[in-house]
Amino acid sequence: KFLAHRSQLKMAEAVSVDKKTGQKPGRLYVKAVFTGYKRGQRNQHENTSLLQIEGVKSKGETSFYMGKKCAYVYKARNLTACPGHEKRSKLRVIWGKITRSHGNSGAVRAKFSSNLPANAMGRRVRIMLYPSNI
């Protein structure tokens, strides 16, 4: 029991601080949720997705995110080759870009390289903090 506890402590130390930089690893993206497609009263347009960014509650706060890259990461059934990696992976990514704000409650519109599938609604989208316009 003591040895198991000791190994857990070592693992915790290894995760908490990077030896080269002395910093903790962090998220390099902001979390968002895919809430649906752009739509009118009767028609929906699947080529534009609506995203609700975590912590953004007003139209003014969305200006920082304009032009940022976003990624929908999902798992597929089959393994495929990944550039720069030896192992094949089930992870896939659909890349997109935030184009403009939507409404007054901090939602944004995004266009993806291929339209997001409907089963992605309510799921997580990553908004990368690049390209920077600061």
Side-chain angles (χ1 to χ4, degrees):
K1 192 173 183 180
F2 177 72
L3 290 174
H5 178 70
R6 206 164 146 191
S7 65
Q8 285 176 345
L9 283 174
K10 282 185 181 179
M11 285 172 54
E13 288 173 12
V15 171
S16 61
V17 177
D18 186 22
K19 289 182 181 177
K20 289 182 182 176
T21 61
Q23 295 178 337
K24 292 182 180 180
R27 246 189 313 121
L28 297 177
Y29 60 89
V30 177
K31 296 177 185 177
V33 176
F34 170 45
T35 54
Y37 302 110
K38 184 181 92 166
R39 52 172 296 159
Q41 188 176 4
R42 291 171 186 85
N43 301 324
Q44 82 176 8
H45 306 282
E46 292 91 356
N47 58 353
T48 304
S49 305
L50 302 180
L51 307 176
Q52 184 66 52
I53 304 169
E54 203 172 81
V56 176
K57 298 294 177 202
S58 69
K59 191 176 213 166
E61 295 172 22
T62 62
S63 60
F64 171 79
Y65 297 98
M66 293 305 131
K68 299 277 190 271
K69 297 279 184 197
C70 44
Y72 171 64
V73 181
Y74 64 102
K75 280 188 180 174
R77 185 179 297 137
N78 298 330
L79 291 166
T80 56
C82 301
H85 294 85
E86 290 181 19
K87 282 189 171 182
R88 299 188 313 159
S89 173
K90 288 186 179 184
L91 287 178
R92 310 271 169 88
V93 182
I94 301 175
W95 285 96
K97 187 172 92 169
I98 293 178
T99 55
R100 56 175 292 182
S101 63
H102 179 86
N104 295 315
S105 63
V108 292
R109 297 183 195 176
K111 293 221 176 212
F112 286 83
S113 57
S114 61
N115 298 342
L116 291 185
N119 67 358
M121 281 189 204
R123 296 249 194 92
R124 181 73 66 212
V125 175
R126 299 176 180 185
I127 297 178
M128 306 302 171
L129 297 175
Y130 56 83
S132 176
N133 50 14
I134 296 174

